[in-house]
Amino acid sequence: MTYRAVFLDRDGTINEEVGYVNHIERFNLLPRVGQAIRLLNQHGWKTVVITNQSGVARGYFPESLIHQVHQKMQDLLEGEGAYLDGIYYCPHHPDIGVPPYRQTCRCRKPATGLIEEAVKELDLDCSQSYMVGDRGVDIEFARQVGAKAILVLTGYGKGEWEYYKWKVRPDYVVEDLFEAVLWIVQQEEFISVGEK
Ligand SMILES: [Mg+2]
Ligand SMILES: [Zn+2]
């Protein structure tokens, strides 16, 4: 049995884009995110965060802050009746900082290391999955693993949509994560009705 997943970028998709979340108080959920993730939970989608956090390699904050921030994220979501099935992050940067954080790793999006880990641990099928994010790199990442790609216009989304040099286009562009989830859920209902 394999599961389908919705992979979520973090900054600008789940929480307000503030540059680097270098303090726990700078992590705040965007509107309707709790509702959106709850809907995914209710419809049986594995919900998995995949995030680049090069602020660690850059020396802006310690790796331990990422764990604190992720605890806060889970607590805030729990308060809205929602949960995440997995959270995967990359703390590296290819040419800033000092090793081991400075390295050409396999986990910094659009490289696919983090998703491969998630697929193994959670038994996921990427071809039946979606990736939602606010950057061009999230869309390229989705394509590399064979998932459908949705761009949200929160965070960097509006600017990316207008100015990014798109090599591959998103399958769908929406206002925010909630709208992305509505679309995903509707697509699935359409498909299952078609099969019956
Ligand atoms: Mg982002
Ligand atoms: Zn990495």
Side-chain angles (χ1 to χ4, degrees):
M1 166 100 199
T2 55
Y3 299 94
R4 44 191 202 172
V6 177
F7 299 106
L8 303 176
D9 167 54
R10 197 191 84 180
D11 301 337
T13 302
I14 289 177
N15 54 289
E16 290 165 12
E17 174 57 62
V18 293
Y20 293 89
V21 180
N22 66 346
H23 192 279
I24 192 141
E25 284 178 15
R26 278 160 65 81
F27 184 93
N28 295 296
L29 293 181
L30 286 164
R32 309 205 290 180
V33 160
Q35 258 175 291
I37 294 177
R38 191 169 66 229
L39 203 54
L40 289 176
N41 298 149
Q42 288 165 345
H43 283 257
W45 289 89
K46 296 283 181 192
T47 307
V48 180
V49 172
I50 306 274
T51 177
N52 287 350
Q53 293 298 325
S54 70
V56 177
R58 294 170 196 271
Y60 296 163
F61 51 86
E63 191 167 358
S64 59
L65 180 67
I66 297 184
H67 297 280
Q68 286 177 44
V69 164
H70 288 170
Q71 189 58 53
K72 179 177 179 181
M73 172 165 68
Q74 287 173 296
D75 291 345
L76 290 172
L77 289 173
E78 196 185 313
E80 303 207 39
Y83 63 88
L84 297 166
D85 295 285
I87 304 173
Y88 297 83
Y89 68 88
C90 165
H92 308 117
H93 192 280
D95 39 48
I96 300 176
V98 291
Y101 293 122
R102 188 189 73 216
Q103 63 158 284
T104 306
C105 64
R106 294 189 56 253
C107 52
R108 181 172 162 82
K109 290 183 287 185
T112 54
L114 293 180
I115 226 165
E116 284 160 24
E117 210 179 314
V119 161
K120 243 184 268 166
E121 286 180 5
L122 301 170
D123 205 7
L124 308 175
D125 177 357
C126 283
S127 70
Q128 292 196 61
S129 299
Y130 292 79
M131 168 78 203
V132 186
D134 69 321
R135 310 283 306 245
V137 73
D138 294 311
I139 305 306
E140 283 164 18
F141 173 71
R143 280 289 181 275
Q144 292 209 50
V145 298
K148 290 195 189 74
I150 304 179
L151 181 77
V152 286
L153 296 177
T154 48
Y156 284 105
K158 281 199 179 104
E160 292 280 88
W161 184 226
E162 197 161 337
Y163 303 117
Y164 188 73
K165 307 277 179 277
W166 292 96
K167 287 174 230 149
V168 289
R169 299 245 150 193
D171 291 293
Y172 202 50
V173 181
V174 294
E175 281 305 314
D176 64 4
L177 181 59
F178 186 71
E179 219 177 85
V181 168
L182 284 185
W183 189 68
I184 291 168
V185 169
Q186 280 165 9
Q187 293 285 104
E188 289 311 303
E189 275 166 13
F190 178 74
I191 290 164
S192 57
V193 166
E195 278 169 357
K196 271 167 204 160

